[in-house]
Amino acid sequence: MTSTTLEHDSESYEATHVHQVYDQIANHFSSTRYKPWPIVEQFLKDLPAGSIGLDIGCGNGKYLTVNPNIFIVASDRSETLIKIASRHTPHTALLADTLSLPHPHSTFDFAISIAVIHHLSTPARRVEALVALLRTLRRPPPPSSNDNSNSTPAADPHKGGRALIFVWALEQKTSRRGWDEGDAQDVMVPWVMKRNKHDGGVVEEEVMLQRYYHLYRRGELERDIEEAGGVVVESGYERDNWWAVARTR
């Protein structure tokens, strides 16, 4: 099987088990997603006033209102979720694929990708998504030299654009899901919702839809960022997720 065939198969698989599912559950999903995660909230609040950045895979846009002193261009693959996110003015929300972002390179002060990349079904596509994200960031300035010092100049890691990435963790044995080291990393996760069925009257029925996830093991996100050409500034674990702050080299 050629790489082109594998890529096509992956796209078809994700279309069925990610994109189509979110299109069906968008309104119900949005109604359950309203509280910002603490690390994401703090990351956005710590940004300097006037910062311009991206929310890639924004869902219903719940992070667009966290810091009124920054401007965010949000994007998602779900047309319904983008319509919901568009209500958060003055920010912009547009329909876009995380692997084919329509943004100029080396431009933005920050980017966030919260619970998105784990929906890509191959290692190559997950790294590709990180490459696409990182190249939107403003590059760090060249190292400054000091004529009075013999030390090697070093770039300040806090200059240039930074990205915050969250992915689901494999190690979450204390959660209701109970996954842990040794379990499968590629899983289907159910979403259950109720809808009305018209059959000689209105009957409420329960519908279960399955979404694909890749569960990241410890250290895997950092390795993917480095393979994508990024530098990990800091990383950690929160609420059954691995997260990392990254910048370009």
Side-chain angles (χ1 to χ4, degrees), residues 110-177:
F110 69 93
I112 60 174
S113 173
I114 311 303
V116 176
I117 291 174
H118 56 218
H119 285 308
L120 296 167
S121 58
T122 68
R125 287 170 68 80
R126 292 190 288 272
V127 171
E128 184 183 349
L130 289 166
V131 170
L133 181 156
L134 288 167
R135 67 186 172 205
T136 67
L137 297 177
R138 182 168 45 80
R139 297 186 66 81
S144 59
S145 59
N146 187 337
D147 294 337
N148 299 321
S149 173
N150 293 323
S151 61
T152 302
D156 183 347
H158 299 293
K159 293 181 180 178
R162 293 185 300 151
L164 174 63
I165 303 125
F166 266 73
V167 292
W168 272 23
L170 173 64
E171 299 87 349
Q172 47 175 295
K173 63 182 177 181
T174 60
S175 77
R176 59 185 171 83
R177 304 177 189 92

Side-chain angles (χ1 to χ4, degrees), residues 78-120:
S78 168
E79 188 170 352
T80 302
L81 288 172
I82 282 298
K83 288 179 180 177
I84 297 170
S86 297
R87 300 168 188 168
H88 299 297
T89 57
H91 305 283
T92 297
L94 52 90
L95 197 65
D97 191 300
T98 189
L99 295 177
S100 184
L101 298 173
H103 311 300
H105 297 179
S106 306
T107 300
F108 295 93
D109 301 310
F110 69 93
I112 60 174
S113 173
I114 311 303
V116 176
I117 291 174
H118 56 218
H119 285 308
L120 296 167

